[in-house]
Every structure is written in structure tokens, then in C-alpha cells.
């Protein structure tokens, strides 16, 4: 499954196929759950009102991205610049 921060309302079809929203690259653990719920009509989070927490997200990308940064980490940084928020439980 592709990994990305900007899920923007992605969902699964009735046959279980991931349908990425325009501009989305993939899902995280948290957005996987949100996509499953959206598939059955439950919208649990409004991404545009989720707190940015940019410093925490930058540390996360650095930690998982490796040194030198992986293409996935670079993609996540681009998503942040485009306004994506890392949806994660507190």
C-alpha cells in the first residue's frame, strides 16, 4: 500500500480497492482507519481543522526517512509544503 500524509478523503471501494483522492499519495496507519470508516459513510476527522504540529511531523519524517532521506520522506515533505497535515492520535 502506498505511504503518504495527504490522504484528503481517500477511501476503499465496495470491493476493497484503495481509491486515492486527487493529490493523495497514500495512507498512514491513522489515515488507513479514516479511509475504512469513510468507505462506510463515517467521516471522523476534518483534515482542514486538524492541528499542523509541523515540528513534530518534521521529526517523524526525519526519523522514518533515513539518512540520506528516502524518496518517501521527500514526498512527505512535499506534501507538507502543499498543506497536508499528519493525522495522528495524541
Amino acid at each position: 500500500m502506498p505511504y503518504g500524509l495527504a490522504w484528503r478523503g481517500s477511501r476503499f471501494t465496495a470491493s476493497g480497492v484503495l481509491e486515492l483522492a486527487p493529490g493523495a499519495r497514500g495512507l498512514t496507519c491513522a489515515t488507513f482507519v479514516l479511509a475504512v470508516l469513510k468507505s462506510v459513510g463515517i467521516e471522523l476527522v476534518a483534515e482542514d481543522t486538524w492541528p499542523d504540529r509541523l515540528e513534530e511531523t518534521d521529526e517523524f519524517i526525519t526519523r522514518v526517512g533515513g539518512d540520506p532521506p528516502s524518496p518517501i520522506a521527500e514526498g512527505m515533505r512535499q506534501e507538507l509544503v502543499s498543506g497536508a497535515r499528519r493525522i495522528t492520535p495524541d
Side-chain angles (χ1 to χ4, degrees), residues 18-55:
L18 174 60
E19 185 176 87
L20 291 172
R25 297 173 187 237
L27 302 173
T28 64
C29 297
T31 58
F32 172 85
V33 172
L34 295 177
V36 169
L37 291 174
K38 182 175 181 65
S39 300
V40 295
I42 300 169
E43 294 211 32
L44 194 60
V45 170
E47 185 178 11
D48 59 338
T49 63
W50 195 264
D52 285 333
R53 302 190 298 195
L54 292 175
E55 184 176 309

Short mmCIF file of all heavy atoms in Angstrom, two decimals, residues 18-55:
data_model
loop_
_atom_site.label_atom_id
_atom_site.label_comp_id
_atom_site.label_asym_id
_atom_site.label_seq_id
_atom_site.Cartn_x
_atom_site.Cartn_y
_atom_site.Cartn_z
N LEU A 18 -8.24 0.40 -2.77
CA LEU A 18 -7.95 1.75 -2.30
C LEU A 18 -8.15 2.74 -3.42
O LEU A 18 -7.60 2.60 -4.51
CB LEU A 18 -6.50 1.84 -1.79
CG LEU A 18 -6.00 3.23 -1.40
CD1 LEU A 18 -6.84 3.82 -0.26
CD2 LEU A 18 -4.53 3.17 -1.01
N GLU A 19 -8.97 3.75 -3.17
CA GLU A 19 -9.23 4.81 -4.12
C GLU A 19 -8.65 6.10 -3.54
O GLU A 19 -9.23 6.68 -2.62
CB GLU A 19 -10.74 4.94 -4.34
CG GLU A 19 -11.13 5.92 -5.40
CD GLU A 19 -12.64 5.90 -5.60
OE1 GLU A 19 -13.34 6.65 -4.86
OE2 GLU A 19 -13.11 5.12 -6.44
N LEU A 20 -7.49 6.50 -4.06
CA LEU A 20 -6.84 7.70 -3.56
C LEU A 20 -7.53 8.94 -4.09
O LEU A 20 -7.90 9.01 -5.26
CB LEU A 20 -5.36 7.73 -3.96
CG LEU A 20 -4.47 6.69 -3.29
CD1 LEU A 20 -3.08 6.70 -3.92
CD2 LEU A 20 -4.39 6.93 -1.80
N ALA A 21 -7.72 9.90 -3.22
CA ALA A 21 -8.32 11.18 -3.61
C ALA A 21 -7.31 11.95 -4.47
O ALA A 21 -6.11 11.68 -4.42
CB ALA A 21 -8.68 11.99 -2.37
N PRO A 22 -7.76 12.89 -5.28
CA PRO A 22 -6.84 13.69 -6.08
C PRO A 22 -5.77 14.35 -5.20
O PRO A 22 -6.08 14.93 -4.17
CB PRO A 22 -7.74 14.76 -6.73
CG PRO A 22 -9.10 14.13 -6.74
CD PRO A 22 -9.16 13.28 -5.50
N GLY A 23 -4.51 14.20 -5.59
CA GLY A 23 -3.40 14.78 -4.85
C GLY A 23 -2.87 13.93 -3.72
O GLY A 23 -1.87 14.24 -3.11
N ALA A 24 -3.54 12.83 -3.42
CA ALA A 24 -3.09 11.94 -2.35
C ALA A 24 -2.09 10.93 -2.90
O ALA A 24 -2.21 10.47 -4.04
CB ALA A 24 -4.27 11.22 -1.73
N ARG A 25 -1.08 10.59 -2.09
CA ARG A 25 -0.05 9.62 -2.49
C ARG A 25 -0.23 8.27 -1.83
O ARG A 25 0.32 7.28 -2.27
CB ARG A 25 1.33 10.15 -2.13
CG ARG A 25 1.71 11.40 -2.83
CD ARG A 25 3.03 11.92 -2.26
NE ARG A 25 3.33 13.21 -2.82
CZ ARG A 25 4.43 13.49 -3.45
NH1 ARG A 25 5.36 12.60 -3.60
NH2 ARG A 25 4.63 14.70 -3.93
N GLY A 26 -0.91 8.25 -0.68
CA GLY A 26 -1.06 7.02 0.05
C GLY A 26 -1.65 7.28 1.43
O GLY A 26 -2.25 8.33 1.66
N LEU A 27 -1.46 6.33 2.33
CA LEU A 27 -2.05 6.41 3.66
C LEU A 27 -1.01 6.16 4.74
O LEU A 27 0.01 5.53 4.48
CB LEU A 27 -3.16 5.35 3.80
CG LEU A 27 -4.31 5.41 2.80
CD1 LEU A 27 -5.21 4.20 2.98
CD2 LEU A 27 -5.09 6.69 2.95
N THR A 28 -1.29 6.64 5.93
CA THR A 28 -0.54 6.28 7.12
C THR A 28 -1.42 5.30 7.90
O THR A 28 -2.54 5.01 7.48
CB THR A 28 -0.25 7.52 8.00
OG1 THR A 28 -1.50 8.04 8.47
CG2 THR A 28 0.51 8.60 7.24
N CYS A 29 -0.94 4.84 9.04
CA CYS A 29 -1.76 3.94 9.86
C CYS A 29 -3.08 4.61 10.24
O CYS A 29 -4.15 4.01 10.14
CB CYS A 29 -1.00 3.53 11.11
SG CYS A 29 0.50 2.60 10.77
N ALA A 30 -2.99 5.86 10.68
CA ALA A 30 -4.19 6.59 11.12
C ALA A 30 -5.14 6.87 9.95
O ALA A 30 -6.36 6.71 10.08
CB ALA A 30 -3.80 7.90 11.81
N THR A 31 -4.60 7.29 8.80
CA THR A 31 -5.49 7.61 7.69
C THR A 31 -6.04 6.35 7.03
O THR A 31 -7.08 6.40 6.39
CB THR A 31 -4.81 8.54 6.66
OG1 THR A 31 -3.63 7.92 6.16
CG2 THR A 31 -4.50 9.88 7.27
N PHE A 32 -5.37 5.21 7.22
CA PHE A 32 -5.95 3.93 6.78
C PHE A 32 -7.28 3.71 7.49
O PHE A 32 -8.29 3.38 6.87
CB PHE A 32 -4.97 2.78 7.06
CG PHE A 32 -5.56 1.43 6.81
CD1 PHE A 32 -5.56 0.87 5.55
CD2 PHE A 32 -6.12 0.71 7.86
CE1 PHE A 32 -6.12 -0.38 5.32
CE2 PHE A 32 -6.68 -0.55 7.64
CZ PHE A 32 -6.67 -1.09 6.37
N VAL A 33 -7.28 3.91 8.80
CA VAL A 33 -8.51 3.75 9.59
C VAL A 33 -9.57 4.75 9.12
O VAL A 33 -10.74 4.40 8.95
CB VAL A 33 -8.22 3.92 11.10
CG1 VAL A 33 -9.52 3.95 11.90
CG2 VAL A 33 -7.30 2.80 11.58
N LEU A 34 -9.15 6.01 8.88
CA LEU A 34 -10.11 7.02 8.41
C LEU A 34 -10.68 6.66 7.05
O LEU A 34 -11.87 6.88 6.79
CB LEU A 34 -9.43 8.39 8.37
CG LEU A 34 -9.00 8.95 9.72
CD1 LEU A 34 -8.28 10.28 9.54
CD2 LEU A 34 -10.17 9.09 10.67
N ALA A 35 -9.85 6.09 6.17
CA ALA A 35 -10.32 5.69 4.84
C ALA A 35 -11.32 4.54 4.94
O ALA A 35 -12.32 4.51 4.22
CB ALA A 35 -9.14 5.31 3.95
N VAL A 36 -11.06 3.59 5.82
CA VAL A 36 -12.00 2.48 6.03
C VAL A 36 -13.34 3.02 6.52
O VAL A 36 -14.40 2.67 6.01
CB VAL A 36 -11.43 1.43 7.01
CG1 VAL A 36 -12.50 0.43 7.42
CG2 VAL A 36 -10.23 0.71 6.38
N LEU A 37 -13.28 3.92 7.52
CA LEU A 37 -14.52 4.49 8.06
C LEU A 37 -15.26 5.31 7.00
O LEU A 37 -16.49 5.23 6.90
CB LEU A 37 -14.22 5.35 9.28
CG LEU A 37 -13.75 4.57 10.52
CD1 LEU A 37 -13.33 5.54 11.62
CD2 LEU A 37 -14.82 3.62 11.01
N LYS A 38 -14.52 6.07 6.19
CA LYS A 38 -15.16 6.87 5.14
C LYS A 38 -15.88 5.97 4.15
O LYS A 38 -16.94 6.32 3.64
CB LYS A 38 -14.13 7.74 4.42
CG LYS A 38 -14.74 8.62 3.34
CD LYS A 38 -13.71 9.55 2.75
CE LYS A 38 -14.30 10.44 1.70
NZ LYS A 38 -15.30 11.38 2.21
N SER A 39 -15.33 4.79 3.93
CA SER A 39 -15.93 3.85 2.99
C SER A 39 -17.31 3.38 3.43
O SER A 39 -18.11 2.95 2.60
CB SER A 39 -15.01 2.64 2.81
OG SER A 39 -13.76 3.06 2.32
N VAL A 40 -17.58 3.47 4.73
CA VAL A 40 -18.91 3.08 5.23
C VAL A 40 -19.72 4.29 5.67
O VAL A 40 -20.69 4.17 6.41
CB VAL A 40 -18.81 2.03 6.36
CG1 VAL A 40 -18.22 0.73 5.84
CG2 VAL A 40 -18.02 2.55 7.54
N GLY A 41 -19.28 5.48 5.23
CA GLY A 41 -20.06 6.69 5.46
C GLY A 41 -19.75 7.45 6.73
O GLY A 41 -20.49 8.37 7.08
N ILE A 42 -18.67 7.10 7.43
CA ILE A 42 -18.32 7.80 8.67
C ILE A 42 -17.10 8.69 8.42
O ILE A 42 -16.03 8.18 8.08
CB ILE A 42 -18.01 6.80 9.80
CG1 ILE A 42 -19.22 5.92 10.07
CG2 ILE A 42 -17.56 7.53 11.06
CD1 ILE A 42 -18.94 4.74 10.98
N GLU A 43 -17.28 9.99 8.56
CA GLU A 43 -16.15 10.93 8.44
C GLU A 43 -15.78 11.38 9.84
O GLU A 43 -16.46 12.20 10.44
CB GLU A 43 -16.53 12.09 7.54
CG GLU A 43 -16.77 11.61 6.12
CD GLU A 43 -16.43 12.63 5.07
OE1 GLU A 43 -15.50 13.43 5.28
OE2 GLU A 43 -17.10 12.59 4.04
N LEU A 44 -14.70 10.83 10.35
CA LEU A 44 -14.31 11.04 11.74
C LEU A 44 -13.49 12.31 11.95
O LEU A 44 -13.57 12.92 13.00
CB LEU A 44 -13.50 9.82 12.20
CG LEU A 44 -13.27 9.65 13.68
CD1 LEU A 44 -14.59 9.53 14.43
CD2 LEU A 44 -12.43 8.41 13.93
N VAL A 45 -12.74 12.73 10.95
CA VAL A 45 -11.83 13.88 11.07
C VAL A 45 -12.01 14.81 9.89
O VAL A 45 -12.10 14.37 8.75
CB VAL A 45 -10.36 13.38 11.12
CG1 VAL A 45 -9.38 14.53 11.02
CG2 VAL A 45 -10.10 12.59 12.39
N ALA A 46 -12.03 16.11 10.18
CA ALA A 46 -12.00 17.13 9.13
C ALA A 46 -10.53 17.59 9.01
O ALA A 46 -10.02 18.28 9.89
CB ALA A 46 -12.90 18.30 9.47
N GLU A 47 -9.86 17.14 7.96
CA GLU A 47 -8.42 17.41 7.81
C GLU A 47 -8.09 18.89 7.88
O GLU A 47 -7.08 19.27 8.46
CB GLU A 47 -7.90 16.81 6.50
CG GLU A 47 -6.40 16.95 6.35
CD GLU A 47 -5.87 16.32 5.08
OE1 GLU A 47 -6.65 15.93 4.19
OE2 GLU A 47 -4.63 16.23 4.97
N ASP A 48 -8.94 19.74 7.33
CA ASP A 48 -8.63 21.17 7.30
C ASP A 48 -8.66 21.83 8.68
O ASP A 48 -8.14 22.93 8.86
CB ASP A 48 -9.55 21.91 6.33
CG ASP A 48 -11.01 21.78 6.68
OD1 ASP A 48 -11.38 20.82 7.38
OD2 ASP A 48 -11.79 22.64 6.25
N THR A 49 -9.22 21.15 9.68
CA THR A 49 -9.23 21.72 11.04
C THR A 49 -8.25 21.01 11.97
O THR A 49 -8.15 21.37 13.14
CB THR A 49 -10.64 21.64 11.66
OG1 THR A 49 -11.03 20.27 11.80
CG2 THR A 49 -11.65 22.41 10.81
N TRP A 50 -7.55 20.00 11.47
CA TRP A 50 -6.58 19.26 12.29
C TRP A 50 -5.37 20.15 12.56
O TRP A 50 -4.90 20.84 11.66
CB TRP A 50 -6.16 17.99 11.56
CG TRP A 50 -5.46 17.01 12.45
CD1 TRP A 50 -4.12 16.87 12.59
CD2 TRP A 50 -6.05 16.06 13.31
NE1 TRP A 50 -3.84 15.88 13.49
CE2 TRP A 50 -5.02 15.36 13.96
CE3 TRP A 50 -7.37 15.73 13.62
CZ2 TRP A 50 -5.25 14.35 14.88
CZ3 TRP A 50 -7.58 14.71 14.53
CH2 TRP A 50 -6.54 14.04 15.16
N PRO A 51 -4.82 20.15 13.79
CA PRO A 51 -3.66 20.99 14.09
C PRO A 51 -2.43 20.61 13.25
O PRO A 51 -2.21 19.43 12.98
CB PRO A 51 -3.39 20.74 15.58
CG PRO A 51 -4.20 19.56 15.95
CD PRO A 51 -5.26 19.36 14.93
N ASP A 52 -1.65 21.61 12.85
CA ASP A 52 -0.48 21.37 11.99
C ASP A 52 0.62 20.56 12.67
O ASP A 52 1.13 19.62 12.10
CB ASP A 52 0.12 22.69 11.51
CG ASP A 52 -0.73 23.32 10.42
OD1 ASP A 52 -1.42 22.58 9.71
OD2 ASP A 52 -0.70 24.55 10.31
N ARG A 53 1.03 20.92 13.86
CA ARG A 53 2.11 20.25 14.58
C ARG A 53 3.31 19.99 13.68
O ARG A 53 3.84 18.88 13.60
CB ARG A 53 1.60 18.96 15.22
CG ARG A 53 0.45 19.21 16.17
CD ARG A 53 0.10 18.02 17.00
NE ARG A 53 -0.36 16.90 16.20
CZ ARG A 53 -1.00 15.85 16.70
NH1 ARG A 53 -1.25 15.79 17.98
NH2 ARG A 53 -1.38 14.87 15.95
N LEU A 54 3.75 21.03 12.97
CA LEU A 54 4.80 20.87 11.96
C LEU A 54 6.11 20.36 12.54
O LEU A 54 6.78 19.53 11.92
CB LEU A 54 5.02 22.19 11.22
CG LEU A 54 3.85 22.63 10.33
CD1 LEU A 54 4.12 24.01 9.74
CD2 LEU A 54 3.61 21.62 9.24
N GLU A 55 6.51 20.84 13.71
CA GLU A 55 7.78 20.40 14.29
C GLU A 55 7.75 18.89 14.58
O GLU A 55 8.68 18.16 14.26
CB GLU A 55 8.09 21.17 15.57
CG GLU A 55 9.44 20.81 16.16
CD GLU A 55 9.76 21.67 17.37
OE1 GLU A 55 9.66 22.91 17.27
OE2 GLU A 55 10.12 21.08 18.39
#
